Amino acid sequence: MRPKPRPRLRPRPPEPSGARRLARRHPGALLALFLCSTGGALAALALPAALGHTVDRLVDGGPVPWAGLLLCAVLTLAETGFDAGAAVLTTSTGARLTAHLRTRTTARVLAAEPRRALAVPTGDLTARLTARTADAATAPVTAAGAVAGVLLPLGAIVGLFVIDPWTAAAFLLGAPLLVALLHTFTRRTADAGADYQRAQSVIAHRLTEALDGADTIRAARTGAREYRRILEPLTTLAAHGRRTWAVYGRAAGQSALLLPLLMLLVLAVGGLRLHAGAIGVGDLVAASRYAALAVGIGSLTGALGALARSRVAARTLDPLLTLDPLPHEGLGPVPGGPGHLELRDVGVVQDGKQDGNQEGKQDGKQDGMQGGEPLLNGEPDRKPLLTGVHLTVPGGTSLAVVGRSGSGKSVFAAVVGRLLDPDTGTVLLDGVPLTAMDPALLRPEIAYAFARPALPGTTVEDTIAFGPWTAGPAAVREGARAARADGFVGLLPYGYATPLTDAPLSGGERQRLGLARAFAHPGRLLILDDALSGLDTVTEHHVRRALDERAGRCTRVIVAHRLSSAARADRVLWLEDGRVRATGPHEELWADPEYRAVFRTETDEAEETAEADEEPGAGADGALPRARTEVEAR
């Protein structure tokens, strides 16, 4: 018996992506980093005073101050050790926070209603889940480590005041210029970083589009044009990159000019005070060391730049982390239900703003795309995908969903499995509305197979076992046999243990692995979204037999393009422009010539056109094409 996931009665509220929330994940590590940074800074601040006192003892001509020399050595070692510990903690804690933020953001995207999650183009979404999370996760680590960057210059200024107020005043003369430099650097870095990230997102989106359509590009021989289109934003990206480095270079150049002048001014005033007898040689040595630490405030530019990038990255993650999860009322499916499916006045409207490139969409379109670019601005083009669908599917029966390209078949399949919530109407499974069920309890009851399935996992067995629960070896092999995948899997170098990277798979073999995954996770509802399109006739026949064996135990919804799939179903749903054109047994619908025309292949239509050219008067339902189709139906 498969394990049931623990119910979650209410979806979690949206979570901001602030540094404070991230800091709560690993407070111990961040505290240790803070202590190491602080310890290193305190050791560095104590060292000039100890060194100055030791120098004074040596100048006075007394015995060698071994205690002072030992203290200087201990402080040096302490500073080095604390800095090394801070470096290790910075790297390890940053990696763990990045992993956590990526996991949390990905979970939010997967838990949300797909139309909301995919409003961000795929390439941009990938960039946010990878590079942006890494940038955003550095904020707590950078803040904890930046304590030393603030403590050192402030403590050094205090040290200068203790040694000699006039020396400290000399340094403070140039401090306003240094503060203004840091403020300008931070603001310009944030602006340049935001523009750079936007350009990166455009390139990532175009590259993802090209990879998805690689076969089309290859067939059309438009690779060079696509290459230029993908890389066209590189000009803008390069400009923003040069702008970023120009900001860094300008800040570095100004710092290189300002900081030595401040050092020179402090040393000059200290030398004058030494000549006047106000301070000793040891005090001058300490003052020079403190001046070096004080001008080290310029090292804050790196930390400020990282914090600016983190803030920009966090803003791009906020729309994902605040996605509303699928709402529910904490209900679960009726125990032991037969899979009775009911749709009441279901309607779906797609915004042109949204990407809509969900898995399984095989109708030759990507909603929300125009000319290959996401419609992220402007007025949405609201498009009805389903309208007023009333339907009842008795439990344990099979339903074939047919229609021309763009008729709404894949949208229907997404709605009945709650990959998509309808804008109007209700979908019920065994009398319980899908929107009232906890997704964690609903998902194990619904198995999906797609025309282009994703294959997660390391090995072939992993990808078949992947699902709401991890299928055991026996279920994996039974699912592979039902999908007729066991034959080619047995020919792989290591069988089911073969890494997917070492398993060259055709489109039909990928489909069979997706079918095997669905068969290995039996529920009360099985949805095949054009998942038989890449199979040969013999393999399809065996898979249909496996589907028929589940009659009475599982309700099967099959998005069909082939006549044979519709002919074997208990009932056919004929969609046209998102509306129900007709429902009923295939034999009854076959009497309608327009229904028969749905299954005509392009070859049939080409032959029919040729015959029409040769024989004037031959219509769209000529004798030869109709006879061929009727033979296929038999």
Side-chain angles (χ1 to χ4, degrees), residues 52 60 64 99 107 233-234 299 342 352 389 497 500 529 551 600:
D60 289 342
V64 176
L234 277 180
S299 64
E342 184 177 357
V389 177
L500 288 173
D529 189 356
R600 284 201 182 93

Side-chain angles (χ1 to χ4, degrees), residues 381-403:
D381 179 18
R382 297 187 64 82
K383 176 182 177 182
L385 302 180
L386 288 179
T387 305
V389 177
H390 289 273
L391 184 68
T392 299
V393 184
T397 64
S398 61
L399 174 74
V401 185
V402 305

Side-chain angles (χ1 to χ4, degrees), residues 537-577:
T537 305
V538 175
T539 302
E540 182 189 6
H541 172 73
H542 286 287
V543 172
R544 287 203 308 266
R545 286 182 58 184
L547 291 172
D548 293 341
E549 291 173 359
R550 285 158 172 74
R553 297 182 288 117
C554 172
T555 302
R556 291 138 292 147
V557 176
I558 305 167
V559 173
H561 290 277
R562 292 183 178 179
L563 180 62
S564 54
S565 297
R568 293 181 71 101
D570 297 320
R571 192 179 181 193
V572 175
L573 169 65
W574 178 13
L575 292 176
E576 189 171 281
D577 296 329

Side-chain angles (χ1 to χ4, degrees), residues 7-67:
R8 178 169 54 84
L9 296 182
R10 289 291 183 271
R12 290 171 294 180
E15 302 176 4
S17 62
R20 289 182 181 179
R21 180 172 295 276
L22 277 175
R24 295 177 192 148
R25 295 298 305 176
H26 298 287
L30 290 174
L31 177 60
L33 174 59
F34 170 80
L35 293 177
C36 284
S37 300
T38 304
L42 292 177
L45 289 172
L47 182 59
L51 184 61
H53 179 72
T54 304
V55 169
D56 280 337
R57 294 284 301 275
L58 288 172
V59 171
D60 289 342
V64 176
W66 293 109

Side-chain angles (χ1 to χ4, degrees), residues 193-524:
D195 293 338
Y196 190 86
Q197 290 179 0
R198 278 192 289 268
Q200 278 184 319
S201 297
V202 173
I203 294 176
H205 173 68
R206 294 184 180 183
L207 179 59
T208 302
E209 276 188 329
L211 292 175
D212 287 341
D215 290 340
T216 303
I217 295 170
R218 192 180 300 112
R221 301 180 68 83
T222 57
R225 187 168 62 192
E226 283 299 304
Y227 180 84
R228 290 192 297 270
R229 186 180 76 90
I230 295 169
L231 298 185
E232 182 268 334
L234 277 180
T235 303
T236 304
L237 188 70
H240 294 319
R242 286 192 296 269
R243 176 183 163 198
T244 301
W245 285 112
V247 171
Y248 274 97
R250 190 177 298 112
Q254 292 171 347
S255 299
L257 178 63
L258 179 61
L259 300 184
L261 289 177
L262 284 176
M263 279 287 297
L264 182 61
L265 181 60
V266 169
L267 291 176
V269 173
L272 292 175
R273 298 290 289 169
L274 174 65
H275 180 71
I279 61 175
V281 175
D283 292 332
L284 181 61
V285 172
S288 66
R289 293 284 297 171
Y290 279 130
L293 294 176
V295 298
I297 194 173
S299 64
L300 279 176
T301 55
L304 292 174
L307 287 173
R309 290 193 301 272
S310 297
R311 187 176 180 181
V312 171
R315 283 200 296 266
T316 66
L317 295 180
D318 277 338
L320 303 180
L321 288 168
T322 54
L323 284 171
D324 291 328
L326 285 174
H328 62 85
E329 299 174 12
L331 301 180
V334 175
H340 182 86
L341 196 61
E342 184 177 357
L343 288 83
R344 300 175 180 173
D345 194 27
V346 168
V348 177
V349 177
Q350 179 70 62
D351 268 357
K353 279 186 178 181
Q354 294 156 343
D355 192 16
N357 54 345
Q358 65 196 51
E359 184 181 19
K361 182 169 289 189
Q362 301 298 321
D363 290 342
K365 63 180 184 301
Q366 284 189 336
D367 299 308
M369 304 295 295
Q370 186 178 49
E373 296 298 330
L375 295 176
L376 298 179
N377 301 303
E379 294 297 324
D381 179 18
R382 297 187 64 82
K383 176 182 177 182
L385 302 180
L386 288 179
T387 305
V389 177
H390 289 273
L391 184 68
T392 299
V393 184
T397 64
S398 61
L399 174 74
V401 185
V402 305
R404 296 183 183 277
S405 177
S407 60
K409 302 185 295 298
S410 289
V411 177
F412 177 88
V415 166
V416 297
R418 211 192 177 189
L419 293 184
L420 188 69
D421 279 344
D423 294 296
T424 59
T426 306
V427 181
L428 301 95
L429 181 63
D430 292 322
V432 182
L434 295 186
T435 53
M437 296 190 204
D438 187 336
L441 299 177
L442 172 64
R443 194 53 55 205
E445 300 295 336
I446 303 175
Y448 259 99
F450 300 97
R452 291 185 295 175
L455 300 180
T458 304
T459 64
V460 173
E461 181 166 359
D462 289 342
T463 196
I464 298 176
F466 184 86
W469 70 93
T470 301
V476 167
R477 282 151 182 78
E478 178 59 32
R481 282 192 290 270
R484 303 293 289 181
D486 55 336
F488 75 83
V489 171
L491 298 176
L492 295 175
Y494 304 104
Y496 287 92
T498 302
L500 288 173
T501 53
D502 297 337
L505 301 174
S506 66
E509 289 169 342
R510 294 179 67 91
Q511 278 193 358
R512 278 184 273 175
L513 288 183
L515 286 166
R517 183 170 58 210
F519 286 139
H521 299 83
R524 67 185 70 188

